[in-house]
mmCIF file of all heavy atoms in Angstrom:
data_model
loop_
_atom_site.group_PDB
_atom_site.id
_atom_site.type_symbol
_atom_site.label_atom_id
_atom_site.label_comp_id
_atom_site.label_asym_id
_atom_site.label_seq_id
_atom_site.Cartn_x
_atom_site.Cartn_y
_atom_site.Cartn_z
ATOM 1 N N ARG N 58 12.362 8.061 141.145
ATOM 2 C CA ARG N 58 12.006 7.392 142.396
ATOM 3 C C ARG N 58 10.873 8.156 143.073
ATOM 4 O O ARG N 58 10.972 9.356 143.300
ATOM 5 C CB ARG N 58 13.200 7.307 143.346
ATOM 6 C CG ARG N 58 12.805 6.828 144.746
ATOM 7 C CD ARG N 58 13.980 6.630 145.665
ATOM 8 N NE ARG N 58 14.717 5.431 145.294
ATOM 9 C CZ ARG N 58 15.714 4.920 146.026
ATOM 10 N NH1 ARG N 58 16.087 5.521 147.132
ATOM 11 N NH2 ARG N 58 16.333 3.831 145.632
ATOM 12 N N VAL N 91 24.119 6.911 143.240
ATOM 13 C CA VAL N 91 24.646 6.038 144.287
ATOM 14 C C VAL N 91 24.522 6.707 145.647
ATOM 15 O O VAL N 91 24.072 6.110 146.623
ATOM 16 C CB VAL N 91 26.122 5.689 144.000
ATOM 17 C CG1 VAL N 91 26.696 4.872 145.148
ATOM 18 C CG2 VAL N 91 26.235 4.921 142.694
ATOM 19 N N LEU N 92 24.915 7.969 145.719
ATOM 20 C CA LEU N 92 24.842 8.692 146.988
ATOM 21 C C LEU N 92 23.406 8.789 147.482
ATOM 22 O O LEU N 92 23.126 8.644 148.670
ATOM 23 C CB LEU N 92 25.443 10.092 146.823
ATOM 24 C CG LEU N 92 26.953 10.128 146.564
ATOM 25 C CD1 LEU N 92 27.398 11.554 146.260
ATOM 26 C CD2 LEU N 92 27.716 9.585 147.763
ATOM 27 N N LEU N 93 22.487 9.017 146.562
ATOM 28 C CA LEU N 93 21.091 9.116 146.960
ATOM 29 C C LEU N 93 20.582 7.776 147.464
ATOM 30 O O LEU N 93 19.863 7.696 148.458
ATOM 31 C CB LEU N 93 20.238 9.594 145.783
ATOM 32 C CG LEU N 93 18.739 9.777 146.067
ATOM 33 C CD1 LEU N 93 18.526 10.768 147.210
ATOM 34 C CD2 LEU N 93 18.015 10.255 144.824
ATOM 35 N N TYR N 94 20.975 6.700 146.788
ATOM 36 C CA TYR N 94 20.534 5.379 147.227
ATOM 37 C C TYR N 94 21.042 5.076 148.628
ATOM 38 O O TYR N 94 20.333 4.545 149.467
ATOM 39 C CB TYR N 94 21.049 4.298 146.267
ATOM 40 C CG TYR N 94 20.351 4.270 144.932
ATOM 41 C CD1 TYR N 94 20.939 3.649 143.838
ATOM 42 C CD2 TYR N 94 19.110 4.867 144.763
ATOM 43 C CE1 TYR N 94 20.307 3.623 142.612
ATOM 44 C CE2 TYR N 94 18.479 4.847 143.537
ATOM 45 C CZ TYR N 94 19.075 4.224 142.467
ATOM 46 O OH TYR N 94 18.452 4.194 141.256
ATOM 47 N N VAL N 95 22.293 5.416 148.875
ATOM 48 C CA VAL N 95 22.872 5.133 150.188
ATOM 49 C C VAL N 95 22.149 5.928 151.266
ATOM 50 O O VAL N 95 21.852 5.430 152.351
ATOM 51 C CB VAL N 95 24.375 5.460 150.195
ATOM 52 C CG1 VAL N 95 24.941 5.324 151.598
ATOM 53 C CG2 VAL N 95 25.114 4.531 149.241
ATOM 54 N N ALA N 96 21.839 7.192 150.967
ATOM 55 C CA ALA N 96 21.174 8.039 151.954
ATOM 56 C C ALA N 96 19.732 7.606 152.191
ATOM 57 O O ALA N 96 19.233 7.644 153.312
ATOM 58 C CB ALA N 96 21.208 9.494 151.486
ATOM 59 N N ALA N 97 19.059 7.192 151.117
ATOM 60 C CA ALA N 97 17.630 6.900 151.225
ATOM 61 C C ALA N 97 17.341 5.468 151.653
ATOM 62 O O ALA N 97 16.333 5.196 152.285
ATOM 63 C CB ALA N 97 16.949 7.180 149.883
ATOM 64 N N ASP N 98 18.219 4.553 151.303
ATOM 65 C CA ASP N 98 17.975 3.138 151.586
ATOM 66 C C ASP N 98 19.261 2.482 152.061
ATOM 67 O O ASP N 98 20.019 1.950 151.263
ATOM 68 C CB ASP N 98 17.471 2.410 150.328
ATOM 69 C CG ASP N 98 15.983 2.568 150.129
ATOM 70 O OD1 ASP N 98 15.254 2.506 151.121
ATOM 71 O OD2 ASP N 98 15.571 2.747 148.979
ATOM 72 N N GLU N 99 19.513 2.508 153.329
ATOM 73 C CA GLU N 99 20.752 1.917 153.829
ATOM 74 C C GLU N 99 20.786 0.415 153.595
ATOM 75 O O GLU N 99 21.852 -0.183 153.518
ATOM 76 C CB GLU N 99 20.905 2.223 155.317
ATOM 77 C CG GLU N 99 21.129 3.702 155.603
ATOM 78 C CD GLU N 99 21.374 3.960 157.069
ATOM 79 O OE1 GLU N 99 21.390 2.977 157.839
ATOM 80 O OE2 GLU N 99 21.540 5.129 157.440
ATOM 81 N N CYS N 100 19.611 -0.188 153.473
ATOM 82 C CA CYS N 100 19.570 -1.629 153.244
ATOM 83 C C CYS N 100 19.765 -1.969 151.772
ATOM 84 O O CYS N 100 19.896 -3.128 151.414
ATOM 85 C CB CYS N 100 18.245 -2.211 153.727
ATOM 86 S SG CYS N 100 16.809 -1.542 152.860
ATOM 87 N N CYS N 101 19.772 -0.959 150.910
ATOM 88 C CA CYS N 101 19.924 -1.187 149.476
ATOM 89 C C CYS N 101 21.409 -1.210 149.135
ATOM 90 O O CYS N 101 22.127 -0.265 149.462
ATOM 91 C CB CYS N 101 19.225 -0.074 148.697
ATOM 92 S SG CYS N 101 19.181 -0.352 146.926
ATOM 93 N N PRO N 102 21.920 -2.276 148.501
ATOM 94 C CA PRO N 102 23.348 -2.347 148.178
ATOM 95 C C PRO N 102 23.817 -1.134 147.387
ATOM 96 O O PRO N 102 23.090 -0.606 146.555
ATOM 97 C CB PRO N 102 23.444 -3.626 147.333
ATOM 98 C CG PRO N 102 22.263 -4.433 147.727
ATOM 99 C CD PRO N 102 21.179 -3.440 148.038
ATOM 100 N N LEU N 103 25.023 -0.706 147.669
ATOM 101 C CA LEU N 103 25.588 0.461 147.008
ATOM 102 C C LEU N 103 25.555 0.295 145.495
ATOM 103 O O LEU N 103 26.005 -0.704 144.953
ATOM 104 C CB LEU N 103 27.033 0.648 147.472
ATOM 105 C CG LEU N 103 27.779 1.865 146.943
ATOM 106 C CD1 LEU N 103 27.124 3.134 147.448
ATOM 107 C CD2 LEU N 103 29.236 1.810 147.368
ATOM 108 N N GLY N 104 25.015 1.290 144.823
ATOM 109 C CA GLY N 104 25.014 1.272 143.373
ATOM 110 C C GLY N 104 23.830 0.574 142.751
ATOM 111 O O GLY N 104 23.696 0.554 141.542
ATOM 112 N N TYR N 105 22.967 0.004 143.569
ATOM 113 C CA TYR N 105 21.829 -0.707 143.012
ATOM 114 C C TYR N 105 20.537 0.049 143.277
ATOM 115 O O TYR N 105 20.367 0.681 144.316
ATOM 116 C CB TYR N 105 21.733 -2.120 143.594
ATOM 117 C CG TYR N 105 22.701 -3.068 142.952
ATOM 118 C CD1 TYR N 105 24.048 -3.023 143.265
ATOM 119 C CD2 TYR N 105 22.278 -3.981 141.996
ATOM 120 C CE1 TYR N 105 24.952 -3.872 142.666
ATOM 121 C CE2 TYR N 105 23.175 -4.835 141.389
ATOM 122 C CZ TYR N 105 24.509 -4.776 141.730
ATOM 123 O OH TYR N 105 25.401 -5.607 141.126
ATOM 124 N N ALA N 106 19.636 -0.051 142.323
ATOM 125 C CA ALA N 106 18.342 0.583 142.476
ATOM 126 C C ALA N 106 17.461 -0.279 143.371
ATOM 127 O O ALA N 106 17.835 -1.372 143.775
ATOM 128 C CB ALA N 106 17.697 0.756 141.108
ATOM 129 N N SER N 107 16.288 0.230 143.673
ATOM 130 C CA SER N 107 15.326 -0.557 144.428
ATOM 131 C C SER N 107 14.077 -0.731 143.581
ATOM 132 O O SER N 107 13.937 -0.126 142.518
ATOM 133 C CB SER N 107 14.980 0.149 145.746
ATOM 134 O OG SER N 107 14.115 1.244 145.502
ATOM 135 N N SER N 108 13.160 -1.549 144.066
ATOM 136 C CA SER N 108 11.937 -1.801 143.310
ATOM 137 C C SER N 108 11.065 -0.556 143.224
ATOM 138 O O SER N 108 10.111 -0.518 142.453
ATOM 139 C CB SER N 108 11.156 -2.951 143.951
ATOM 140 O OG SER N 108 10.845 -2.644 145.299
ATOM 141 N N ARG N 109 11.393 0.475 144.005
ATOM 142 C CA ARG N 109 10.646 1.737 143.941
ATOM 143 C C ARG N 109 11.038 2.562 142.719
ATOM 144 O O ARG N 109 10.343 3.517 142.364
ATOM 145 C CB ARG N 109 10.914 2.563 145.201
ATOM 146 C CG ARG N 109 10.335 1.984 146.467
ATOM 147 C CD ARG N 109 11.049 2.525 147.693
ATOM 148 N NE ARG N 109 11.159 3.979 147.691
ATOM 149 C CZ ARG N 109 11.970 4.651 148.511
ATOM 150 N NH1 ARG N 109 12.743 3.994 149.357
ATOM 151 N NH2 ARG N 109 12.012 5.962 148.466
ATOM 152 N N ASP N 110 12.158 2.237 142.101
ATOM 153 C CA ASP N 110 12.679 3.049 141.013
ATOM 154 C C ASP N 110 12.102 2.624 139.666
ATOM 155 O O ASP N 110 11.833 1.445 139.425
ATOM 156 C CB ASP N 110 14.202 2.954 140.967
ATOM 157 C CG ASP N 110 14.830 3.497 142.238
ATOM 158 O OD1 ASP N 110 14.306 4.483 142.775
ATOM 159 O OD2 ASP N 110 15.827 2.918 142.697
ATOM 160 N N SER N 129 19.969 -4.437 138.397
ATOM 161 C CA SER N 129 19.948 -3.306 139.325
ATOM 162 C C SER N 129 18.780 -3.366 140.297
ATOM 163 O O SER N 129 18.763 -2.643 141.290
ATOM 164 C CB SER N 129 19.887 -1.989 138.546
ATOM 165 O OG SER N 129 18.611 -1.816 137.962
ATOM 166 N N GLY N 130 17.788 -4.200 140.010
ATOM 167 C CA GLY N 130 16.671 -4.363 140.934
ATOM 168 C C GLY N 130 15.402 -3.638 140.546
ATOM 169 O O GLY N 130 14.372 -3.786 141.204
ATOM 170 N N ASP N 213 31.983 -6.290 145.886
ATOM 171 C CA ASP N 213 30.604 -6.486 146.316
ATOM 172 C C ASP N 213 29.804 -5.190 146.272
ATOM 173 O O ASP N 213 28.576 -5.208 146.232
ATOM 174 C CB ASP N 213 30.562 -7.043 147.744
ATOM 175 C CG ASP N 213 31.028 -8.487 147.802
ATOM 176 O OD1 ASP N 213 30.963 -9.151 146.752
ATOM 177 O OD2 ASP N 213 31.449 -8.926 148.884
ATOM 178 N N PHE N 214 30.494 -4.060 146.304
ATOM 179 C CA PHE N 214 29.807 -2.776 146.335
ATOM 180 C C PHE N 214 30.013 -2.012 145.031
ATOM 181 O O PHE N 214 30.080 -0.802 145.015
ATOM 182 C CB PHE N 214 30.301 -1.949 147.526
ATOM 183 C CG PHE N 214 30.004 -2.592 148.841
ATOM 184 C CD1 PHE N 214 31.003 -3.210 149.567
ATOM 185 C CD2 PHE N 214 28.709 -2.606 149.335
ATOM 186 C CE1 PHE N 214 30.721 -3.817 150.780
ATOM 187 C CE2 PHE N 214 28.422 -3.211 150.541
ATOM 188 C CZ PHE N 214 29.428 -3.818 151.268
#
Side-chain angles (χ1 to χ4, degrees):
R58 170 175 286 188
V91 176
L92 293 173
L93 181 58
Y94 287 161
V95 173
D98 276 320
E99 293 184 1
C100 62
C101 187
L103 183 65
Y105 281 75
S107 75
S108 58
R109 291 159 50 194
D110 298 323
S129 72
D213 289 338
F214 297 105

